[in-house]
Amino acid sequence: MNLQTFIEDGLDHPIPNAQTDSDLVQDIQHNLERLGFNPGSINGIWSPKTQDAFTRFKAANQLFSSDFTVRVAQALLQPLPKLNQEPVAARTPKAPVTAGASAQRPAPPPPPSRLHNFAPPPPPSLISKASATKPLQQHINREGLNIIKECEGLTLEASLCLAGVPIIGYNSTVEVKLGQTITAEQAEMLLLKDLQRFEAAVSKLVTVPLSSNQFSALVSFVFNVGCAAFKTSTLLKQLNEGHYEEAAEQLLQWDKAGREFWPELTRRRHLERALFLKP
């Protein structure tokens, strides 16, 4: 379900229900970002950053209901204000001039709205050249995230991996202890937190432009093989020389653990290659 369908249904859904519909959550995240409220990754997952952006959006629009109502959905779909159009209420009225007297001072403008901090950012044409040249941090998209989740598998109780390291969730290793248990929601949060490191590594090591699909395929790859292996790989060398198709073929070379061939890795590499080459 998207926001438009949601409005046409004319139903009121509590927030917890909206959070379970990934298409609806992704639509919410897209419109939050469009209106200037950064929801984090637009991936259909209701993260703490999405919740924070949504809370600020509701405050800015004076939507104080705890439920996700049709009114909130309609507000999300509102058009951006025209920056160059001065509101009538904000214009300074001209003071009357009496005969034989000098003109009075114009009345002061009305005080700024208490919600001025929530105004959306200016369009790119109004951003300075210095800030426009600074690359934005990319994030893994839903297809890349699905590859990781499908191939890593979900474990809600800590166990030992083949290397003898405790893992949990989608193979998270940070501060994991045997006997520890988590929920599926906590596993999602651990995965998103782990991904920040691999997203940063791909952004730093790759020096050529990447599409969302190319970036996401590489994040999935680096999540599996590690940042050090990616840094010294022929794949990265070919990519940074601008040989995108050759780099995609290099993905298929990483189908072994040690010297042993693993069918699971072959399947994963083909999924990543397909995503990398997808327009």
Side-chain angles (χ1 to χ4, degrees), residues 165-202:
V165 178
I167 58 173
I168 202 168
Y170 296 98
N171 286 346
S172 179
T173 60
V174 179
E175 298 180 358
V176 180
K177 298 180 180 179
L178 290 179
Q180 178 182 355
T181 60
I182 59 174
T183 65
E185 292 75 16
Q186 289 172 323
E188 292 272 358
M189 297 309 303
L190 283 175
L191 175 59
L192 293 176
K193 185 176 181 180
D194 288 343
L195 280 170
Q196 294 176 3
R197 176 162 56 97
F198 300 103
E199 289 172 338
V202 173

PDB file of all heavy atoms in Angstrom, residues 165-202:
ATOM      1  N   VAL A 165      33.582 -17.393  16.201  1.00  0.00           N
ATOM      2  CA  VAL A 165      33.192 -16.083  16.721  1.00  0.00           C
ATOM      3  C   VAL A 165      31.692 -16.085  17.002  1.00  0.00           C
ATOM      4  O   VAL A 165      30.899 -16.544  16.168  1.00  0.00           O
ATOM      5  CB  VAL A 165      33.536 -14.977  15.713  1.00  0.00           C
ATOM      6  CG1 VAL A 165      33.078 -13.618  16.221  1.00  0.00           C
ATOM      7  CG2 VAL A 165      35.030 -14.970  15.430  1.00  0.00           C
ATOM      8  N   PRO A 166      31.252 -15.593  18.164  1.00  0.00           N
ATOM      9  CA  PRO A 166      29.808 -15.529  18.445  1.00  0.00           C
ATOM     10  C   PRO A 166      29.100 -14.575  17.482  1.00  0.00           C
ATOM     11  O   PRO A 166      29.559 -13.460  17.253  1.00  0.00           O
ATOM     12  CB  PRO A 166      29.747 -15.006  19.886  1.00  0.00           C
ATOM     13  CG  PRO A 166      31.082 -15.295  20.469  1.00  0.00           C
ATOM     14  CD  PRO A 166      32.048 -15.172  19.335  1.00  0.00           C
ATOM     15  N   ILE A 167      27.982 -15.026  16.920  1.00  0.00           N
ATOM     16  CA  ILE A 167      27.193 -14.200  16.003  1.00  0.00           C
ATOM     17  C   ILE A 167      25.729 -14.240  16.412  1.00  0.00           C
ATOM     18  O   ILE A 167      25.288 -15.156  17.107  1.00  0.00           O
ATOM     19  CB  ILE A 167      27.324 -14.676  14.538  1.00  0.00           C
ATOM     20  CG1 ILE A 167      26.874 -16.148  14.427  1.00  0.00           C
ATOM     21  CG2 ILE A 167      28.729 -14.478  14.021  1.00  0.00           C
ATOM     22  CD1 ILE A 167      26.802 -16.648  13.000  1.00  0.00           C
ATOM     23  N   ILE A 168      24.976 -13.235  15.963  1.00  0.00           N
ATOM     24  CA  ILE A 168      23.543 -13.182  16.239  1.00  0.00           C
ATOM     25  C   ILE A 168      22.877 -12.308  15.178  1.00  0.00           C
ATOM     26  O   ILE A 168      23.541 -11.528  14.503  1.00  0.00           O
ATOM     27  CB  ILE A 168      23.270 -12.618  17.654  1.00  0.00           C
ATOM     28  CG1 ILE A 168      21.888 -13.049  18.160  1.00  0.00           C
ATOM     29  CG2 ILE A 168      23.409 -11.107  17.686  1.00  0.00           C
ATOM     30  CD1 ILE A 168      21.664 -12.781  19.635  1.00  0.00           C
ATOM     31  N   GLY A 169      21.575 -12.430  15.038  1.00  0.00           N
ATOM     32  CA  GLY A 169      20.866 -11.637  14.035  1.00  0.00           C
ATOM     33  C   GLY A 169      21.280 -12.043  12.639  1.00  0.00           C
ATOM     34  O   GLY A 169      21.311 -13.232  12.303  1.00  0.00           O
ATOM     35  N   TYR A 170      21.638 -11.061  11.810  1.00  0.00           N
ATOM     36  CA  TYR A 170      22.133 -11.326  10.459  1.00  0.00           C
ATOM     37  C   TYR A 170      23.654 -11.367  10.485  1.00  0.00           C
ATOM     38  O   TYR A 170      24.339 -10.591   9.818  1.00  0.00           O
ATOM     39  CB  TYR A 170      21.612 -10.256   9.494  1.00  0.00           C
ATOM     40  CG  TYR A 170      20.111 -10.270   9.342  1.00  0.00           C
ATOM     41  CD1 TYR A 170      19.311  -9.385  10.058  1.00  0.00           C
ATOM     42  CD2 TYR A 170      19.479 -11.193   8.510  1.00  0.00           C
ATOM     43  CE1 TYR A 170      17.921  -9.406   9.935  1.00  0.00           C
ATOM     44  CE2 TYR A 170      18.095 -11.222   8.387  1.00  0.00           C
ATOM     45  CZ  TYR A 170      17.325 -10.322   9.100  1.00  0.00           C
ATOM     46  OH  TYR A 170      15.947 -10.350   8.978  1.00  0.00           O
ATOM     47  N   ASN A 171      24.178 -12.261  11.332  1.00  0.00           N
ATOM     48  CA  ASN A 171      25.618 -12.478  11.500  1.00  0.00           C
ATOM     49  C   ASN A 171      26.340 -11.259  12.057  1.00  0.00           C
ATOM     50  O   ASN A 171      27.471 -10.958  11.677  1.00  0.00           O
ATOM     51  CB  ASN A 171      26.268 -12.930  10.193  1.00  0.00           C
ATOM     52  CG  ASN A 171      25.929 -14.368   9.850  1.00  0.00           C
ATOM     53  OD1 ASN A 171      25.431 -15.112  10.704  1.00  0.00           O
ATOM     54  ND2 ASN A 171      26.154 -14.775   8.630  1.00  0.00           N
ATOM     55  N   SER A 172      25.695 -10.560  12.980  1.00  0.00           N
ATOM     56  CA  SER A 172      26.361  -9.463  13.672  1.00  0.00           C
ATOM     57  C   SER A 172      27.309 -10.042  14.726  1.00  0.00           C
ATOM     58  O   SER A 172      26.986 -11.034  15.390  1.00  0.00           O
ATOM     59  CB  SER A 172      25.324  -8.557  14.343  1.00  0.00           C
ATOM     60  OG  SER A 172      25.951  -7.498  15.040  1.00  0.00           O
ATOM     61  N   THR A 173      28.484  -9.420  14.869  1.00  0.00           N
ATOM     62  CA  THR A 173      29.491  -9.934  15.803  1.00  0.00           C
ATOM     63  C   THR A 173      29.840  -8.951  16.917  1.00  0.00           C
ATOM     64  O   THR A 173      30.586  -9.302  17.831  1.00  0.00           O
ATOM     65  CB  THR A 173      30.794 -10.266  15.041  1.00  0.00           C
ATOM     66  OG1 THR A 173      31.290  -9.068  14.423  1.00  0.00           O
ATOM     67  CG2 THR A 173      30.557 -11.317  13.976  1.00  0.00           C
ATOM     68  N   VAL A 174      29.311  -7.742  16.860  1.00  0.00           N
ATOM     69  CA  VAL A 174      29.701  -6.701  17.814  1.00  0.00           C
ATOM     70  C   VAL A 174      29.052  -6.948  19.176  1.00  0.00           C
ATOM     71  O   VAL A 174      27.827  -6.983  19.304  1.00  0.00           O
ATOM     72  CB  VAL A 174      29.310  -5.302  17.290  1.00  0.00           C
ATOM     73  CG1 VAL A 174      29.701  -4.226  18.296  1.00  0.00           C
ATOM     74  CG2 VAL A 174      29.961  -5.035  15.939  1.00  0.00           C
ATOM     75  N   GLU A 175      29.897  -7.151  20.204  1.00  0.00           N
ATOM     76  CA  GLU A 175      29.445  -7.321  21.591  1.00  0.00           C
ATOM     77  C   GLU A 175      28.419  -8.446  21.736  1.00  0.00           C
ATOM     78  O   GLU A 175      27.444  -8.339  22.471  1.00  0.00           O
ATOM     79  CB  GLU A 175      28.874  -6.011  22.138  1.00  0.00           C
ATOM     80  CG  GLU A 175      29.892  -4.881  22.188  1.00  0.00           C
ATOM     81  CD  GLU A 175      29.309  -3.591  22.741  1.00  0.00           C
ATOM     82  OE1 GLU A 175      28.103  -3.568  23.042  1.00  0.00           O
ATOM     83  OE2 GLU A 175      30.067  -2.616  22.881  1.00  0.00           O
ATOM     84  N   VAL A 176      28.644  -9.548  21.002  1.00  0.00           N
ATOM     85  CA  VAL A 176      27.736 -10.698  21.069  1.00  0.00           C
ATOM     86  C   VAL A 176      28.308 -11.725  22.028  1.00  0.00           C
ATOM     87  O   VAL A 176      29.502 -12.023  22.007  1.00  0.00           O
ATOM     88  CB  VAL A 176      27.540 -11.337  19.676  1.00  0.00           C
ATOM     89  CG1 VAL A 176      26.592 -12.536  19.768  1.00  0.00           C
ATOM     90  CG2 VAL A 176      27.002 -10.301  18.697  1.00  0.00           C
ATOM     91  N   LYS A 177      27.444 -12.259  22.891  1.00  0.00           N
ATOM     92  CA  LYS A 177      27.858 -13.279  23.848  1.00  0.00           C
ATOM     93  C   LYS A 177      26.964 -14.501  23.720  1.00  0.00           C
ATOM     94  O   LYS A 177      25.768 -14.380  23.458  1.00  0.00           O
ATOM     95  CB  LYS A 177      27.788 -12.728  25.283  1.00  0.00           C
ATOM     96  CG  LYS A 177      28.709 -11.542  25.537  1.00  0.00           C
ATOM     97  CD  LYS A 177      28.578 -11.049  26.962  1.00  0.00           C
ATOM     98  CE  LYS A 177      29.495  -9.856  27.226  1.00  0.00           C
ATOM     99  NZ  LYS A 177      29.362  -9.350  28.621  1.00  0.00           N
ATOM    100  N   LEU A 178      27.544 -15.681  23.893  1.00  0.00           N
ATOM    101  CA  LEU A 178      26.765 -16.915  23.833  1.00  0.00           C
ATOM    102  C   LEU A 178      25.677 -16.891  24.906  1.00  0.00           C
ATOM    103  O   LEU A 178      25.898 -16.436  26.030  1.00  0.00           O
ATOM    104  CB  LEU A 178      27.674 -18.126  24.025  1.00  0.00           C
ATOM    105  CG  LEU A 178      28.644 -18.424  22.873  1.00  0.00           C
ATOM    106  CD1 LEU A 178      29.507 -19.634  23.207  1.00  0.00           C
ATOM    107  CD2 LEU A 178      27.885 -18.670  21.569  1.00  0.00           C
ATOM    108  N   GLY A 179      24.491 -17.368  24.543  1.00  0.00           N
ATOM    109  CA  GLY A 179      23.350 -17.330  25.446  1.00  0.00           C
ATOM    110  C   GLY A 179      22.468 -16.117  25.243  1.00  0.00           C
ATOM    111  O   GLY A 179      21.348 -16.051  25.755  1.00  0.00           O
ATOM    112  N   GLN A 180      22.961 -15.143  24.478  1.00  0.00           N
ATOM    113  CA  GLN A 180      22.208 -13.921  24.222  1.00  0.00           C
ATOM    114  C   GLN A 180      21.077 -14.195  23.234  1.00  0.00           C
ATOM    115  O   GLN A 180      21.233 -14.952  22.277  1.00  0.00           O
ATOM    116  CB  GLN A 180      23.149 -12.863  23.655  1.00  0.00           C
ATOM    117  CG  GLN A 180      22.504 -11.539  23.300  1.00  0.00           C
ATOM    118  CD  GLN A 180      23.500 -10.565  22.705  1.00  0.00           C
ATOM    119  OE1 GLN A 180      24.693 -10.843  22.634  1.00  0.00           O
ATOM    120  NE2 GLN A 180      23.016  -9.420  22.251  1.00  0.00           N
ATOM    121  N   THR A 181      19.918 -13.585  23.450  1.00  0.00           N
ATOM    122  CA  THR A 181      18.792 -13.683  22.519  1.00  0.00           C
ATOM    123  C   THR A 181      18.289 -12.278  22.190  1.00  0.00           C
ATOM    124  O   THR A 181      18.398 -11.368  23.007  1.00  0.00           O
ATOM    125  CB  THR A 181      17.634 -14.517  23.095  1.00  0.00           C
ATOM    126  OG1 THR A 181      17.170 -13.900  24.306  1.00  0.00           O
ATOM    127  CG2 THR A 181      18.085 -15.942  23.390  1.00  0.00           C
ATOM    128  N   ILE A 182      17.736 -12.126  20.973  1.00  0.00           N
ATOM    129  CA  ILE A 182      17.195 -10.845  20.542  1.00  0.00           C
ATOM    130  C   ILE A 182      15.899 -11.085  19.781  1.00  0.00           C
ATOM    131  O   ILE A 182      15.557 -12.222  19.449  1.00  0.00           O
ATOM    132  CB  ILE A 182      18.182 -10.078  19.630  1.00  0.00           C
ATOM    133  CG1 ILE A 182      18.526 -10.906  18.396  1.00  0.00           C
ATOM    134  CG2 ILE A 182      19.430  -9.671  20.382  1.00  0.00           C
ATOM    135  CD1 ILE A 182      19.385 -10.165  17.380  1.00  0.00           C
ATOM    136  N   THR A 183      15.170 -10.007  19.482  1.00  0.00           N
ATOM    137  CA  THR A 183      13.962 -10.083  18.668  1.00  0.00           C
ATOM    138  C   THR A 183      14.309  -9.801  17.212  1.00  0.00           C
ATOM    139  O   THR A 183      15.420  -9.346  16.909  1.00  0.00           O
ATOM    140  CB  THR A 183      12.915  -9.055  19.143  1.00  0.00           C
ATOM    141  OG1 THR A 183      13.444  -7.727  18.916  1.00  0.00           O
ATOM    142  CG2 THR A 183      12.613  -9.226  20.620  1.00  0.00           C
ATOM    143  N   ALA A 184      13.362 -10.067  16.316  1.00  0.00           N
ATOM    144  CA  ALA A 184      13.583  -9.787  14.892  1.00  0.00           C
ATOM    145  C   ALA A 184      13.808  -8.296  14.668  1.00  0.00           C
ATOM    146  O   ALA A 184      14.622  -7.896  13.829  1.00  0.00           O
ATOM    147  CB  ALA A 184      12.391 -10.279  14.077  1.00  0.00           C
ATOM    148  N   GLU A 185      13.077  -7.457  15.437  1.00  0.00           N
ATOM    149  CA  GLU A 185      13.255  -6.008  15.305  1.00  0.00           C
ATOM    150  C   GLU A 185      14.649  -5.585  15.724  1.00  0.00           C
ATOM    151  O   GLU A 185      15.287  -4.732  15.091  1.00  0.00           O
ATOM    152  CB  GLU A 185      12.206  -5.266  16.143  1.00  0.00           C
ATOM    153  CG  GLU A 185      10.777  -5.388  15.645  1.00  0.00           C
ATOM    154  CD  GLU A 185      10.157  -6.743  15.925  1.00  0.00           C
ATOM    155  OE1 GLU A 185      10.719  -7.499  16.764  1.00  0.00           O
ATOM    156  OE2 GLU A 185       9.120  -7.060  15.328  1.00  0.00           O
ATOM    157  N   GLN A 186      15.165  -6.185  16.810  1.00  0.00           N
ATOM    158  CA  GLN A 186      16.520  -5.861  17.256  1.00  0.00           C
ATOM    159  C   GLN A 186      17.558  -6.323  16.232  1.00  0.00           C
ATOM    160  O   GLN A 186      18.581  -5.663  16.034  1.00  0.00           O
ATOM    161  CB  GLN A 186      16.782  -6.506  18.616  1.00  0.00           C
ATOM    162  CG  GLN A 186      16.006  -5.861  19.757  1.00  0.00           C
ATOM    163  CD  GLN A 186      16.125  -6.637  21.054  1.00  0.00           C
ATOM    164  OE1 GLN A 186      16.147  -7.880  21.065  1.00  0.00           O
ATOM    165  NE2 GLN A 186      16.216  -5.918  22.164  1.00  0.00           N
ATOM    166  N   ALA A 187      17.282  -7.448  15.582  1.00  0.00           N
ATOM    167  CA  ALA A 187      18.195  -7.940  14.542  1.00  0.00           C
ATOM    168  C   ALA A 187      18.262  -6.951  13.382  1.00  0.00           C
ATOM    169  O   ALA A 187      19.334  -6.694  12.817  1.00  0.00           O
ATOM    170  CB  ALA A 187      17.737  -9.308  14.042  1.00  0.00           C
ATOM    171  N   GLU A 188      17.099  -6.369  13.013  1.00  0.00           N
ATOM    172  CA  GLU A 188      17.068  -5.352  11.953  1.00  0.00           C
ATOM    173  C   GLU A 188      17.934  -4.159  12.338  1.00  0.00           C
ATOM    174  O   GLU A 188      18.701  -3.637  11.521  1.00  0.00           O
ATOM    175  CB  GLU A 188      15.630  -4.883  11.723  1.00  0.00           C
ATOM    176  CG  GLU A 188      14.715  -5.917  11.124  1.00  0.00           C
ATOM    177  CD  GLU A 188      14.736  -5.914   9.606  1.00  0.00           C
ATOM    178  OE1 GLU A 188      15.454  -5.068   9.040  1.00  0.00           O
ATOM    179  OE2 GLU A 188      14.051  -6.748   9.005  1.00  0.00           O
ATOM    180  N   MET A 189      17.814  -3.716  13.579  1.00  0.00           N
ATOM    181  CA  MET A 189      18.572  -2.555  14.023  1.00  0.00           C
ATOM    182  C   MET A 189      20.073  -2.851  14.048  1.00  0.00           C
ATOM    183  O   MET A 189      20.890  -1.998  13.680  1.00  0.00           O
ATOM    184  CB  MET A 189      18.093  -2.115  15.411  1.00  0.00           C
ATOM    185  CG  MET A 189      16.646  -1.657  15.452  1.00  0.00           C
ATOM    186  SD  MET A 189      16.270  -0.416  14.186  1.00  0.00           S
ATOM    187  CE  MET A 189      17.457   0.846  14.582  1.00  0.00           C
ATOM    188  N   LEU A 190      20.455  -4.050  14.489  1.00  0.00           N
ATOM    189  CA  LEU A 190      21.866  -4.425  14.479  1.00  0.00           C
ATOM    190  C   LEU A 190      22.416  -4.431  13.056  1.00  0.00           C
ATOM    191  O   LEU A 190      23.533  -3.975  12.806  1.00  0.00           O
ATOM    192  CB  LEU A 190      22.045  -5.804  15.118  1.00  0.00           C
ATOM    193  CG  LEU A 190      21.972  -5.879  16.642  1.00  0.00           C
ATOM    194  CD1 LEU A 190      22.036  -7.337  17.104  1.00  0.00           C
ATOM    195  CD2 LEU A 190      23.112  -5.092  17.286  1.00  0.00           C
ATOM    196  N   LEU A 191      21.614  -4.949  12.120  1.00  0.00           N
ATOM    197  CA  LEU A 191      22.050  -4.994  10.727  1.00  0.00           C
ATOM    198  C   LEU A 191      22.260  -3.591  10.174  1.00  0.00           C
ATOM    199  O   LEU A 191      23.283  -3.303   9.536  1.00  0.00           O
ATOM    200  CB  LEU A 191      21.018  -5.748   9.884  1.00  0.00           C
ATOM    201  CG  LEU A 191      21.278  -5.786   8.373  1.00  0.00           C
ATOM    202  CD1 LEU A 191      22.613  -6.445   8.071  1.00  0.00           C
ATOM    203  CD2 LEU A 191      20.144  -6.526   7.660  1.00  0.00           C
ATOM    204  N   LEU A 192      21.302  -2.709  10.427  1.00  0.00           N
ATOM    205  CA  LEU A 192      21.429  -1.332   9.927  1.00  0.00           C
ATOM    206  C   LEU A 192      22.648  -0.640  10.526  1.00  0.00           C
ATOM    207  O   LEU A 192      23.332   0.145   9.854  1.00  0.00           O
ATOM    208  CB  LEU A 192      20.158  -0.545  10.239  1.00  0.00           C
ATOM    209  CG  LEU A 192      18.893  -1.001   9.501  1.00  0.00           C
ATOM    210  CD1 LEU A 192      17.683  -0.204   9.977  1.00  0.00           C
ATOM    211  CD2 LEU A 192      19.062  -0.860   7.993  1.00  0.00           C
ATOM    212  N   LYS A 193      22.917  -0.932  11.797  1.00  0.00           N
ATOM    213  CA  LYS A 193      24.084  -0.337  12.446  1.00  0.00           C
ATOM    214  C   LYS A 193      25.378  -0.887  11.839  1.00  0.00           C
ATOM    215  O   LYS A 193      26.331  -0.133  11.572  1.00  0.00           O
ATOM    216  CB  LYS A 193      24.039  -0.617  13.951  1.00  0.00           C
ATOM    217  CG  LYS A 193      25.153   0.060  14.732  1.00  0.00           C
ATOM    218  CD  LYS A 193      24.998  -0.188  16.220  1.00  0.00           C
ATOM    219  CE  LYS A 193      26.109   0.503  17.009  1.00  0.00           C
ATOM    220  NZ  LYS A 193      25.965   0.266  18.470  1.00  0.00           N
ATOM    221  N   ASP A 194      25.428  -2.203  11.608  1.00  0.00           N
ATOM    222  CA  ASP A 194      26.610  -2.813  10.997  1.00  0.00           C
ATOM    223  C   ASP A 194      26.850  -2.266   9.593  1.00  0.00           C
ATOM    224  O   ASP A 194      27.998  -2.051   9.176  1.00  0.00           O
ATOM    225  CB  ASP A 194      26.441  -4.336  10.920  1.00  0.00           C
ATOM    226  CG  ASP A 194      26.547  -5.008  12.281  1.00  0.00           C
ATOM    227  OD1 ASP A 194      27.067  -4.375  13.222  1.00  0.00           O
ATOM    228  OD2 ASP A 194      26.092  -6.162  12.411  1.00  0.00           O
ATOM    229  N   LEU A 195      25.759  -2.042   8.853  1.00  0.00           N
ATOM    230  CA  LEU A 195      25.881  -1.608   7.465  1.00  0.00           C
ATOM    231  C   LEU A 195      26.547  -0.245   7.327  1.00  0.00           C
ATOM    232  O   LEU A 195      27.155   0.046   6.290  1.00  0.00           O
ATOM    233  CB  LEU A 195      24.501  -1.571   6.811  1.00  0.00           C
ATOM    234  CG  LEU A 195      23.945  -2.924   6.349  1.00  0.00           C
ATOM    235  CD1 LEU A 195      22.492  -2.792   5.939  1.00  0.00           C
ATOM    236  CD2 LEU A 195      24.781  -3.482   5.201  1.00  0.00           C
ATOM    237  N   GLN A 196      26.449   0.592   8.347  1.00  0.00           N
ATOM    238  CA  GLN A 196      27.043   1.921   8.269  1.00  0.00           C
ATOM    239  C   GLN A 196      28.547   1.837   7.970  1.00  0.00           C
ATOM    240  O   GLN A 196      29.090   2.632   7.202  1.00  0.00           O
ATOM    241  CB  GLN A 196      26.808   2.683   9.568  1.00  0.00           C
ATOM    242  CG  GLN A 196      25.345   3.013   9.831  1.00  0.00           C
ATOM    243  CD  GLN A 196      25.136   3.681  11.172  1.00  0.00           C
ATOM    244  OE1 GLN A 196      26.095   3.963  11.908  1.00  0.00           O
ATOM    245  NE2 GLN A 196      23.890   3.931  11.522  1.00  0.00           N
ATOM    246  N   ARG A 197      29.200   0.859   8.579  1.00  0.00           N
ATOM    247  CA  ARG A 197      30.651   0.708   8.386  1.00  0.00           C
ATOM    248  C   ARG A 197      30.975   0.297   6.943  1.00  0.00           C
ATOM    249  O   ARG A 197      31.926   0.803   6.336  1.00  0.00           O
ATOM    250  CB  ARG A 197      31.189  -0.327   9.368  1.00  0.00           C
ATOM    251  CG  ARG A 197      32.660  -0.663   9.229  1.00  0.00           C
ATOM    252  CD  ARG A 197      33.182  -1.325  10.491  1.00  0.00           C
ATOM    253  NE  ARG A 197      32.418  -2.512  10.840  1.00  0.00           N
ATOM    254  CZ  ARG A 197      32.802  -3.761  10.517  1.00  0.00           C
ATOM    255  NH1 ARG A 197      33.921  -3.951   9.832  1.00  0.00           N
ATOM    256  NH2 ARG A 197      32.094  -4.799  10.888  1.00  0.00           N
ATOM    257  N   PHE A 198      30.174  -0.595   6.389  1.00  0.00           N
ATOM    258  CA  PHE A 198      30.451  -1.087   5.037  1.00  0.00           C
ATOM    259  C   PHE A 198      30.028  -0.067   3.977  1.00  0.00           C
ATOM    260  O   PHE A 198      30.678   0.046   2.933  1.00  0.00           O
ATOM    261  CB  PHE A 198      29.748  -2.428   4.829  1.00  0.00           C
ATOM    262  CG  PHE A 198      30.208  -3.481   5.793  1.00  0.00           C
ATOM    263  CD1 PHE A 198      29.430  -3.843   6.883  1.00  0.00           C
ATOM    264  CD2 PHE A 198      31.442  -4.089   5.635  1.00  0.00           C
ATOM    265  CE1 PHE A 198      29.860  -4.793   7.786  1.00  0.00           C
ATOM    266  CE2 PHE A 198      31.890  -5.053   6.528  1.00  0.00           C
ATOM    267  CZ  PHE A 198      31.099  -5.401   7.622  1.00  0.00           C
ATOM    268  N   GLU A 199      28.968   0.680   4.246  1.00  0.00           N
ATOM    269  CA  GLU A 199      28.594   1.767   3.341  1.00  0.00           C
ATOM    270  C   GLU A 199      29.706   2.811   3.285  1.00  0.00           C
ATOM    271  O   GLU A 199      30.050   3.310   2.211  1.00  0.00           O
ATOM    272  CB  GLU A 199      27.289   2.409   3.813  1.00  0.00           C
ATOM    273  CG  GLU A 199      26.068   1.538   3.630  1.00  0.00           C
ATOM    274  CD  GLU A 199      24.830   2.128   4.280  1.00  0.00           C
ATOM    275  OE1 GLU A 199      24.966   2.963   5.205  1.00  0.00           O
ATOM    276  OE2 GLU A 199      23.712   1.749   3.885  1.00  0.00           O
ATOM    277  N   ALA A 200      30.259   3.132   4.445  1.00  0.00           N
ATOM    278  CA  ALA A 200      31.344   4.120   4.503  1.00  0.00           C
ATOM    279  C   ALA A 200      32.580   3.619   3.767  1.00  0.00           C
ATOM    280  O   ALA A 200      33.273   4.386   3.084  1.00  0.00           O
ATOM    281  CB  ALA A 200      31.678   4.443   5.955  1.00  0.00           C
ATOM    282  N   ALA A 201      32.873   2.312   3.877  1.00  0.00           N
ATOM    283  CA  ALA A 201      34.056   1.751   3.213  1.00  0.00           C
ATOM    284  C   ALA A 201      33.908   1.817   1.698  1.00  0.00           C
ATOM    285  O   ALA A 201      34.846   2.208   0.997  1.00  0.00           O
ATOM    286  CB  ALA A 201      34.256   0.299   3.659  1.00  0.00           C
ATOM    287  N   VAL A 202      32.742   1.454   1.183  1.00  0.00           N
ATOM    288  CA  VAL A 202      32.526   1.507  -0.264  1.00  0.00           C
ATOM    289  C   VAL A 202      32.608   2.957  -0.749  1.00  0.00           C
ATOM    290  O   VAL A 202      33.232   3.257  -1.771  1.00  0.00           O
ATOM    291  CB  VAL A 202      31.169   0.887  -0.637  1.00  0.00           C
ATOM    292  CG1 VAL A 202      30.855   1.103  -2.118  1.00  0.00           C
ATOM    293  CG2 VAL A 202      31.165  -0.607  -0.321  1.00  0.00           C
TER     294      VAL A 202
END
